[in-house]
Amino acid sequence: MSDPMNVLAPEHRRLRIGDAWRDAAGAATFAVEDPATGRIIAEVADAGVVDGLAALDAASKAMAEWAATSPRKRSELLTATYRVLTERSEEVARLITLEMGKPLAEARGEVAYGAEFFRWFAEEAVRVEGRYNTAPAGGYRILTVPRPVGPCVFVTPWNFPLAMGARKIAPALAAGCTTITKPAAQTPLTMLFLARIMEEAGVPPGVVNVVTTTRAGEVVSALLADRRTRKLSFTGSTEVGRVLLRQAADNVLRTSMELGGNAALIVCADADLDVALDGAMVAKMRNLGESCIAANRIYVEEPVREEFTARFAKRMGALSVGHGLDDGVDVGALIDEASVTKIDELVADAVDRGARVLVGGERPDGPGHFYPPTVLVDVPDDARMLEAEIFGPVAPIISFTSDDEVIAKANDTEHGLAGYVFTRDLQRALRFAERLETGMLGINRGLVSDPSAPFGGVKQSGIGKEGSHEGILEYLDVIYAAIDLP
Ligand code: NAP
């Protein structure tokens, strides 16, 4: 197979601003690494504040014409993006694996998921509606008009280098907004490739701008401080989300915040254990556990604890670890060494407090940032991994004896993104759905992500929704006119 880097020509490893691919000021660049080998795979432009503001100039200049472009035309350009992405999915998937480390099968899944946002929002672009009604007291009419909010700034994480950007760019364009995306410094290549694909698909200059940088703080602050920016959408940690919310407050920006999670996966004694095992494997191991909705805590009701644990540990132990581009690999490299160290410390902390390791738990030597699939039992409530996001292939199993007990434990966190419940009893499932403090719940399913469903958290997991009809509303202001009509 050819080098995955061949798909992104050197001239496209630069900033995408307006109609140009250009160097950063001072021709600064930074290196991107393959996390499975530590090898440098590319140098990309390292933007400073002046480059970020140039992208905002381009987005602001393009705004009026894009907002005035017919919904049908915007829809067609999103459909064209969906088509090109789908046709080139293998190239995109290999690039994702190379810069981020996930196995190729997972990367293919991400491309299919990311592309689907373009198809979904192509369909939503032509369904934006206002309304016209008589005021309750009579005498005049109320006309509501949805209007694009304006130029948007997007800050995205490294764990889904395509999909986290697609989830923002597609609805923004559908609504008539222009965009500037700052991808994570560890995975800038996929977003540059997406910008290239959108250029090929015919999206006009200035509508999609991409600024890669190692100076996220400075560049994003400058963008948020500029009054031309009208919206911030951020996906990343709760910690950085709080910082950006404070900055966004100065200009009273619209914000969508997709932040961290700490999902509980609950297996009830009446569950179909085959279904629960499949669900737990997906919820824990999709994207190597480097997912905001990953099962961070697995609670199993006492009567089935032993059987579930033995079968789950067997499946975790059978997974093969290696370079994501190699055949038959289930678990690729983690993003960096800091991540491996953090996970290793969380495992050590749990073991110090009395947990037992059933599978894995040993940090391997050698190049690349690997950690083996790991299962821990007898994890005490005060283990740090039950509060911190593990963000890796480590599964703590905790037993429970009553629904009240497990719901109290599941809710005892600042986060509220996703949860999972496995039970054959519909009423029991619905009681969980009503009492668990999460934005999303998988019932007898380990996967909740779907472009046609509203993705988002409650509590400190975020504000706003991505995907679904709600996703486009995040990019629309509703204004109204009162019309005198006695
Ligand atoms: P992160 O450290 O918060 O970084 C996310 C993005 O913010 C990156 O582009 C980063 O740039 C940028 N950034 C960091 N500090 C910044 C600052 N002071 N000002 C402006 N931008 C800044 O998160 P991550 O480690 O990339 O991603 C993992 C986190 O994302 C986890 O907490 C996960 O749960 C969350 N996540 C949430 C969702 C969701 O939908 N709720 C989805 C995926 C991930 P650099 O790369 O240059 O640092």
Side-chain angles (χ1 to χ4, degrees):
M1 266 286 200
S2 64
D3 182 349
M5 276 312 302
N6 292 345
V7 302
L8 193 66
E11 66 263 32
H12 301 129
R13 298 175 195 175
R14 300 190 293 168
L15 311 176
R16 174 65 179 163
I17 296 180
D19 62 358
W21 291 88
R22 50 157 117 156
D23 286 333
T29 62
F30 66 97
V32 184
E33 154 190 313
D34 169 0
T37 59
R39 186 174 67 90
I40 306 285
I41 49 172
E43 290 281 335
V44 301
D46 193 358
V49 167
V50 64
D51 302 303
L53 292 177
L56 182 54
D57 287 344
S60 304
K61 280 197 192 104
M63 183 62 215
E65 196 174 329
W66 182 245
T69 300
S70 73
R72 177 62 72 202
K73 176 72 187 162
R74 294 200 301 259
S75 168
E76 283 166 359
L77 290 168
L78 293 172
T79 303
T81 303
Y82 166 76
R83 289 221 179 92
V84 183
L85 252 180
T86 306
E87 280 160 21
R88 304 192 65 178
S89 63
E90 195 59 19
E91 293 163 76
V92 189
R94 288 169 59 78
L95 195 58
I96 290 174
T97 292
L98 188 66
E99 68 173 341
M100 184 275 173
K102 70 179 77 174
L104 197 49
E106 293 268 353
R108 290 184 184 122
E110 179 180 348
V111 180
Y113 175 56
E116 200 56 41
F117 283 98
F118 289 99
R119 179 155 70 165
W120 174 264
F121 284 108
E123 291 157 351
E124 285 296 298
V126 292
R127 315 244 184 278
V128 172
E129 294 167 345
R131 63 171 196 273
Y132 178 81
N133 62 284
T134 303
Y140 70 99
R141 304 291 180 268
I142 292 168
L143 173 69
T144 70
V145 183
R147 196 160 66 184
V149 295
C152 302
V153 171
F154 298 152
V155 181
T156 57
W158 49 262
N159 63 342
F160 290 92
L162 176 77
M164 297 302 98
R167 231 157 63 156
K168 302 181 190 305
I169 295 171
L173 267 55
C177 298
T178 58
T179 65
I180 302 154
T181 302
K182 191 220 79 67
Q186 284 163 316
T187 56
L189 302 171
T190 304
M191 188 49 58
L192 291 172
F193 192 50
L194 177 64
R196 175 75 192 118
I197 281 178
M198 296 192 80
E199 184 186 11
E200 265 178 46
V203 173
V207 173
V208 173
N209 303 281
V210 177
V211 174
T212 52
T213 179
T214 54
R215 285 166 282 172
E218 278 170 61
V219 173
V220 174
S221 293
L223 289 170
L224 301 186
D226 191 305
R227 280 167 44 185
R228 292 172 297 172
T229 298
R230 292 308 316 140
K231 158 115 196 170
L232 163 69
S233 180
F234 170 74
T235 299
S237 60
T238 298
E239 194 187 353
V240 174
R242 285 189 197 105
V243 171
L244 295 184
L245 273 172
R246 280 187 210 110
Q247 292 179 13
D250 283 342
N251 276 340
V252 193
L253 291 185
R254 285 278 296 268
T255 55
S256 299
M257 309 302 281
E258 296 286 349
L259 309 177
N262 181 5
L265 183 142
I266 299 168
V267 180
C268 299
D270 62 24
D272 178 330
L273 277 198
D274 292 332
V275 170
L277 279 159
D278 287 348
M281 288 303 293
V282 173
K284 180 68 252 179
M285 293 307 293
R286 174 171 170 260
N287 217 49
L288 295 82
E290 290 177 314
S291 155
C292 52
I293 54 171
N296 208 55
R297 303 168 284 161
I298 300 182
Y299 292 103
V300 185
E301 201 168 4
E302 188 51 37
V304 292
R305 179 184 52 81
E306 225 176 286
E307 182 185 348
F308 177 89
T309 304
R311 291 175 65 188
F312 181 71
K314 193 166 169 211
R315 285 180 67 168
M316 288 286 279
L319 297 174
S320 67
V321 181
H323 195 299
L325 289 174
D326 291 344
D327 287 340
V329 165
D330 302 305
V331 183
L334 295 171
I335 191 68
D336 55 20
E337 213 43 33
S339 208
V340 178
T341 301
K342 183 192 93 176
I343 291 166
D344 201 37
E345 284 171 5
L346 289 175
V347 170
D349 167 78
V351 169
D352 280 352
R353 294 172 199 264
R356 281 185 301 124
V357 176
L358 287 192
V359 172
E362 294 264 327
R363 182 183 187 155
D365 296 330
H369 315 305
F370 292 95
Y371 201 86
T374 296
V375 179
L376 295 159
V377 289
D378 302 334
V379 181
D381 288 340
D382 61 353
R384 277 174 40 221
M385 66 169 58
L386 302 186
E387 180 56 34
E389 268 188 294
I390 300 170
F391 238 60
V394 173
I397 297 184
I398 310 109
S399 74
F400 73 92
T401 53
S402 79
D403 291 5
D404 283 347
E405 175 203 355
V406 76
I407 288 169
K409 285 185 178 174
N411 288 341
D412 186 19
T413 164
E414 67 184 20
H415 292 115
L417 194 57
Y420 307 88
V421 174
F422 292 84
T423 170
R424 284 194 176 97
D425 179 339
L426 178 62
Q427 290 191 343
R428 194 175 179 188
L430 292 175
R431 273 185 233 112
F432 275 112
E434 290 186 6
R435 294 178 64 197
L436 286 173
E437 295 167 352
T438 63
M440 295 167 284
L441 183 66
I443 298 178
N444 297 322
R445 270 184 74 77
L447 184 63
V448 292
S449 305
D450 184 326
S452 65
F455 192 105
V458 298
K459 294 161 77 177
Q460 295 187 37
S461 285
I463 301 169
K465 300 290 175 191
E466 291 190 323
S468 183
H469 182 59
E470 285 86 349
I472 196 168
L473 303 180
E474 301 278 327
Y475 295 94
L476 292 166
D477 284 329
V478 176
I479 56 125
Y480 101 94
I483 308 163
D484 199 42
L485 192 60

